[in-house]
Amino acid sequence: MKRLLTSAIAAGFAAALWAHAGFAQELAPLDSDTEKNRIDWSQLEMKFGALPKPSEGTKAGGVSKTLTNEYWRSLGEGYKKFADKAGVTVAYQAAQSEGDQLGQLTIAEGMVTQGFKVLLLSPQTDANLQPVMEQAKAANIPVVNVNDAVIPQAEHYVGNVQRDNGVRVAKWFKKNRQEGGKVAVIEGQAGVYAAVQRTDGFKSTIGENGKFQVVASVPGNWDRQQSYDAATNILQQHPDLIGFYCNNDGMALGVVEAVKAANLLGKVAVFGTDGISDAYASIKAGELTGTVDSFPVLTGEVAMETALRLVAGQQLPRVVATPQALITKDNFANYQGDEAKVREVLLKDAASAQ
């Protein structure tokens, strides 16, 4: 039955994509990491001025992967913070789990008919919310694709450079484990843009000097228990492993538990991605080695600002790039504190990168 349902969903997506082929031809498929028509989040106001005051009664709709993951709850917090400041109403809904593609599609399609002026979509896969794009276009509703799967025909995307998540971790290994060694990757959901890019960024960078060997690269499907099980098997097969890179923090925390169970804490480095509070706590406790924080609250604020600028009729670049930073015990304190302080630090980071 499960196989039949999966096949039916896949067939439905394929039919929708075929039916919307004319729409798909209007834009080149989006690669949010390499798209040249982009702007850094820190440059929005300088280049486009202050946000025009939204019309009274403006409603924004956000559709997320799931609310069981802190990252997506924090993203919604960012939506609400900026919407409240702008005097806009926001509704934020999500599927029951990160595998409920059809449930997420149903939520998104419902929002098209509910009077929202703009939609902010974080799809579970690159394909499952594609059918919503033409529906929203026909209703004259702008859509912002917000981290981390990428809808190929999205006109606007807000998020970080996914490949750079893996690149940053690989550079840490090259700098801090100069003798090299065996490493492993716990991937997110197979085929999802963010998982593919993060994994590729790590593998291609770690392999540049020939000192490191990626001995395993397996999907953890964004799941902590699956990642614990996968890491346990990898450590049994490769007891001399020196480190893991995980495509998100939930998986990384599962891997930390496997490393602890194998009595290898302190010997095997473990990195995650996202910057959730549990990851910070684990770094502070000396367990998780680090995370690439993509600052979900700030990303939510930037995404909502972008959405409201589109509602106001501004012609924005296709991609608005949001910040990220590799967090370890060495720079942990720099990114702690209230949102205003963290924003100030990230603005300085952006200025120094120009």
Side-chain angles (χ1 to χ4, degrees), residues 65 69 98 124 148 186-190 192 194-196 198 219-227 246-251 273-274:
K65 284 187 174 185
N69 184 322
E98 293 207 34
Q124 294 194 349
D148 51 24
I186 306 298
E187 306 167 11
Q189 190 172 351
V192 171
V196 172
R198 292 172 187 178
N221 294 310
W222 312 121
D223 184 82
R224 184 167 179 161
Q225 183 62 48
Q226 287 186 43
S227 302
C246 307
N247 284 175
N248 82 354
D249 284 338
M251 297 192 301
T273 307
D274 283 345

Side-chain angles (χ1 to χ4, degrees), residues 51-118:
L51 176 71
K53 183 175 177 57
S55 301
E56 187 174 349
T58 296
K59 297 195 301 180
V63 181
S64 188
K65 284 187 174 185
T66 178
L67 298 182
T68 61
N69 184 322
E70 182 189 327
Y71 178 90
W72 301 110
R73 295 196 300 273
S74 297
L75 186 77
E77 180 185 336
Y79 288 169
K80 188 174 188 309
K81 284 182 68 174
F82 196 91
D84 287 348
K85 185 169 65 174
V88 168
T89 300
V90 60
Y92 189 52
Q93 299 180 37
Q96 292 185 354
S97 70
E98 293 207 34
D100 185 14
Q101 297 177 35
L102 189 57
Q104 191 190 38
L105 175 62
T106 300
I107 292 169
E109 289 183 325
M111 282 194 169
V112 173
T113 64
Q114 293 170 15
F116 292 99
K117 296 297 184 183
V118 65

Side-chain angles (χ1 to χ4, degrees), residues 140-200:
N140 200 29
I141 302 172
V143 175
V144 181
N145 184 173
V146 187
N147 260 347
D148 51 24
V150 176
I151 303 171
Q153 296 308 318
E155 295 185 39
H156 296 282
Y157 180 92
V158 175
N160 56 55
V161 178
Q162 300 296 345
R163 190 175 187 278
D164 198 39
N165 289 284
V167 169
R168 288 171 187 252
V169 175
K171 286 182 176 179
W172 182 94
F173 276 102
K174 292 167 75 173
K175 179 180 178 181
N176 294 277
R177 299 290 186 270
Q178 295 182 14
E179 69 282 4
K182 297 178 180 179
V183 294
V185 180
I186 306 298
E187 306 167 11
Q189 190 172 351
V192 171
Y193 181 87
V196 172
Q197 292 294 96
R198 292 172 187 178
T199 298
D200 180 68

